[in-house]
Amino acid sequence: AAESATLSVAAAGGRQATFEEEELTRVQELALTMVTARRVDAGTTTVVLSPRVSALLFGACVAPCLRLTPAKRRIGSKLIHVTDEPTRAGFGTRYFDQEGRRLSTAPLIDSGVVVAPLGGRSFGELDWSSNGLFSNLVVRPGKASLGDILASVDDGIVIEGPVAADIDPDSMTFSIEASRGLGVRNGTLSGRLYVRLAVHGRLDHLLYQVEAVSAETKTIPLTVGPTDSPGQVTAPGVLTRATVGPS
């Protein structure tokens, strides 16, 4: 049988790398797909929210809902744990409340259950009398890597590049706009690139369907409330199901 055509190219350090023609063709096709972005079809699918998108979700959508949600109400999967850590080094660091009392870490969500509303809450020595704004919101990471989470997805989209978020706390209807989405098929990136898409729906429905959170986290600064108070959110990547569509 005839041998496959090969191509040798110079690599770093002057070394040569040899590629089969068939392999080069696959790479070319993948590259063409990646630069040919498309609009996503509207529908419900498995999504992997990147840590930055997840941070925007929790800071801009989950936190406002915690001002209205009563304690002991379940709003999500048992994998969700959220604390407010005002003395944690970061954009929203503060050591005292508006009345001069010392602040400390406060649990907000434990195993998907609201511990207490954000603002006007008391935890032992902590008497929080702020206006219901978080300082340094922290979502507990999981143990699985983003790579392992991606490998578990048969068909879905990785959502990256957070742009904007909107939430109606009364109905928990939310929308997260992102700059791009990466298609996933059989546990690997399929090469499909989507631009300007939105994840939307009922926030509690998305949180209930969280199946995994990543070990990797990212931190984003975020101004909160009508006075644009400085805050910060640290969050892992999240595997869940949600409705996506063009933004």
Side-chain angles (χ1 to χ4, degrees):
E3 294 184 359
S4 299
T6 60
L7 174 68
S8 296
V9 297
R15 292 173 294 181
Q16 297 291 314
T18 301
F19 299 92
E20 298 292 336
E21 184 177 24
E22 184 179 347
E23 181 180 356
L24 286 173
T25 300
R26 287 198 302 269
V27 172
Q28 290 169 347
E29 291 174 349
L30 177 60
L32 180 61
T33 303
M34 290 295 287
V35 299
T36 309
R38 67 190 73 185
R39 290 172 66 84
V40 67
D41 294 330
T44 301
T45 187
T46 298
V47 295
V48 179
L49 305 181
S50 73
R52 291 185 187 277
V53 172
S54 173
L56 181 61
L57 175 77
F58 279 94
C61 297
V62 176
C65 291
L66 291 179
R67 301 173 199 160
L68 303 177
T69 306
K72 298 183 180 181
R73 175 182 171 184
R74 176 171 294 281
I75 63 168
S77 159
K78 292 183 178 180
L79 298 175
I80 298 175
H81 305 264
V82 182
T83 55
D84 187 24
E85 303 182 11
T87 61
R88 183 187 181 103
F91 190 56
T93 301
R94 54 181 65 93
Y95 296 92
F96 300 93
D97 67 11
Q98 296 173 338
E99 298 179 7
R101 288 175 290 196
R102 185 175 294 277
L103 298 173
S104 60
T105 296
L108 299 177
I109 301 176
D110 183 42
S111 298
V113 177
V114 176
V115 175
L118 182 62
R121 59 190 193 274
S122 179
F123 301 98
E125 297 180 359
L126 170 64
D127 186 2
W128 185 286
S129 56
S130 73
N131 54 3
L133 303 178
F134 65 84
S135 52
N136 293 318
L137 204 68
V138 179
V139 183
R140 184 191 299 178
K143 296 181 179 179
S145 69
L146 281 170
D148 289 340
I149 290 175
L150 188 69
S152 71
V153 177
D154 292 329
D155 188 16
I157 303 175
V158 178
I159 311 295
E160 296 185 335
V163 174
D166 184 63
I167 181 74
D168 175 5
D170 292 316
S171 65
M172 284 194 172
T173 302
F174 81 99
S175 177
I176 291 278
E177 184 179 344
S179 61
R180 61 188 174 273
L182 305 177
V184 181
R185 182 65 59 86
N186 298 326
T188 61
L189 295 178
S190 67
R192 288 193 173 184
L193 174 63
Y194 304 102
V195 292
R196 303 295 292 184
L197 67 166
V199 180
H200 56 89
R202 279 283 301 269
L203 181 62
D204 51 346
H205 293 176
L206 179 146
L207 297 177
Y208 266 110
Q209 297 184 84
V210 170
E211 297 179 11
V213 293
S214 72
E216 301 93 331
T217 64
K218 291 292 184 182
T219 299
I220 64 170
L222 196 67
T223 55
V224 295
T227 59
D228 287 337
S229 299
Q232 174 177 289
V233 186
T234 300
V238 170
L239 172 65
T240 185
R241 287 187 62 82
T243 301
V244 300
S247 63

